[in-house]
Amino acid sequence: MLTALGEACADITKDALPHIIARRVARGAFDSVKFIYGAPWYVSRGRRITIESEVPTAYSAKALDALIEEHSADIIPELHKDAVRVERFATGWSVNGYNVADPTGKEGTRLSLNLFASAIPAGVKNAVEETVARSFHAHTTTHHSIALVASTVLAEAAGNSGALLFVHLSDTMTELALVSSDAILDSITFPEGAAHLHKAWGKKTGRLVHEATIQAKQSPRDITVSDSWQAGIGECLGALLTERGMPERIVLLADPTIEKQALDAVQDISMKIFNQIVTAVSLTESSFGSSLRVAAGAAPGSPAMRLLTLVD
């Protein structure tokens, strides 16, 4: 990862900084650099927290922040023993059962929030910051998970105000996040990704791993998803959604070589478990229309780029 990051920084320094400097970024320094992590480089958890009081209570902004801090501190040790918190957000609030954008000063006997916390190993955080710092200076650096980025942009970009299931099929992991009203209600991962699917398909068809990867890129329609990956999806759907119910929409972010088959599999498995027809779309330009604005030079086949170009 660090080798690839170093190469990316070198490319930015060589190819991008001259254009950025021309746009009046003083001396090649950035105001900020945002690191966005996909699985397995970060771990996350969403939790619904409800606080009840006998008499109507109004919370100040300071009290609400302390509430978020207290409960996120409880979550982080569960995520990783050497964890450094990178995010802790209340992604949705309600007072007495009514959704509110800002609960500050609003009285009620029941305050609920959707809390999302994510963490990365301290060694990873330090290493990526040091790698970038060798190439260029930034006044501030912040760290974010791809699940939270997705939750803030996908609902609007997909033109859907209801709940949706975000499925991120990375190279080595698959993550599922339940998103409602731009808030992550919960998330879950399992350790199989596109690389495992390519390897399993290669073994099934008598190809070496690199041959299977090349063939998948050349003829993506030929590849199939493995039984173990489908089983993992089924287990995660059951754990994540049995009590909440299946949302009406699934959005998949995946390698182009496998996205069609993965999307069909998730849709079929959802139907078998919940006996419910859902709309399933991949994060492609055809699915999201004008919401996608891919910059010149960006790799159009990169799944992460297709998500990040939705961010304003």
Side-chain angles (χ1 to χ4, degrees):
M1 180 186 74
L2 293 179
T3 300
L5 180 60
E7 293 174 353
C9 290
D11 289 341
I12 290 172
T13 303
K14 177 183 176 182
D15 300 325
L17 277 183
H19 300 288
I20 296 172
I21 294 171
R23 296 183 180 182
R24 303 178 184 177
V25 177
R27 299 177 183 176
F30 293 97
D31 289 332
S32 65
V33 171
K34 298 182 185 298
F35 297 95
I36 299 177
Y37 297 85
W41 300 108
Y42 80 100
V43 285
S44 64
R45 182 161 298 165
R47 181 172 292 171
R48 179 74 170 177
I49 296 169
T50 298
I51 300 167
E52 297 185 348
S53 55
E54 294 182 357
V55 297
T57 302
Y59 290 85
S60 65
K62 184 177 180 180
L64 292 170
D65 191 64
L67 191 65
I68 296 171
E69 177 67 26
E70 174 190 351
H71 288 280
S72 63
D74 292 338
I75 293 176
I76 295 303
E78 300 174 10
L79 298 178
H80 196 283
K81 64 180 180 180
D82 183 32
V84 174
R85 185 181 64 204
V86 296
E87 295 164 327
R88 57 112 169 114
F89 289 110
T91 55
W93 298 90
S94 69
V95 176
N96 289 345
Y98 294 95
N99 293 333
V100 294
D102 182 4
T104 305
K106 293 181 170 59
E107 286 193 347
T109 57
R110 189 170 73 256
L111 175 70
S112 297
L113 64 147
N114 299 319
L115 179 63
F116 179 84
S118 64
I120 56 176
V124 171
K125 178 179 181 293
N126 295 335
V128 297
E129 288 182 346
E130 290 169 4
T131 301
V132 169
R134 286 197 291 268
S135 293
F136 45 81
H137 174 69
H139 298 300
T140 60
T141 58
T142 56
H143 301 259
H144 308 274
S145 64
I146 199 168
L148 190 62
V149 173
S151 74
T152 59
V153 299
L154 282 179
E156 181 179 353
N160 178 52
S161 59
L164 63 85
L165 179 69
F166 172 58
V167 181
H168 179 212
L169 175 56
S170 69
D171 198 45
T172 58
M173 301 278 286
T174 299
E175 178 177 20
L176 295 83
L178 179 62
V179 179
S180 180
S181 300
D182 301 336
I184 292 181
L185 300 182
D186 204 352
S187 62
I188 191 170
T189 62
F190 67 97
E192 284 194 53
H196 300 86
L197 295 178
H198 290 160
K199 183 178 180 179
W201 179 67
K203 184 177 181 179
K204 183 178 179 180
T205 57
R207 293 180 171 90
L208 297 176
V209 175
H210 74 278
E211 293 175 339
T213 302
I214 293 173
Q215 182 63 27
K217 291 179 180 179
Q218 293 175 344
S219 303
R221 292 184 179 181
D222 294 340
I223 194 170
T224 56
V225 293
S226 65
D227 291 340
S228 63
W229 185 83
Q230 294 184 65
I233 286 291
E235 291 176 7
C236 287
L237 286 175
L240 192 64
L241 302 174
T242 297
E243 294 183 359
R244 298 183 176 95
M246 186 70 198
E248 296 180 354
R249 191 177 185 115
I250 298 171
V251 177
L252 174 74
L253 176 62
D255 187 291
T257 63
I258 197 66
E259 65 179 4
K260 176 63 169 62
Q261 295 87 333
L263 196 66
D264 290 344
V266 173
Q267 194 170 26
D268 290 345
I269 294 167
S270 302
M271 180 64 183
K272 291 177 182 177
I273 296 176
F274 298 98
N275 194 29
Q276 176 183 334
I277 298 175
V278 297
T279 301
V281 296
S282 59
L283 192 59
T284 60
E285 190 162 357
S286 61
S287 298
F288 288 86
S290 60
S291 297
L292 284 169
R293 300 179 300 279
V294 180
S302 167
M305 280 303 301
R306 280 181 277 158
L307 173 64
L308 298 182
T309 50
L310 292 172
V311 181
D312 186 6

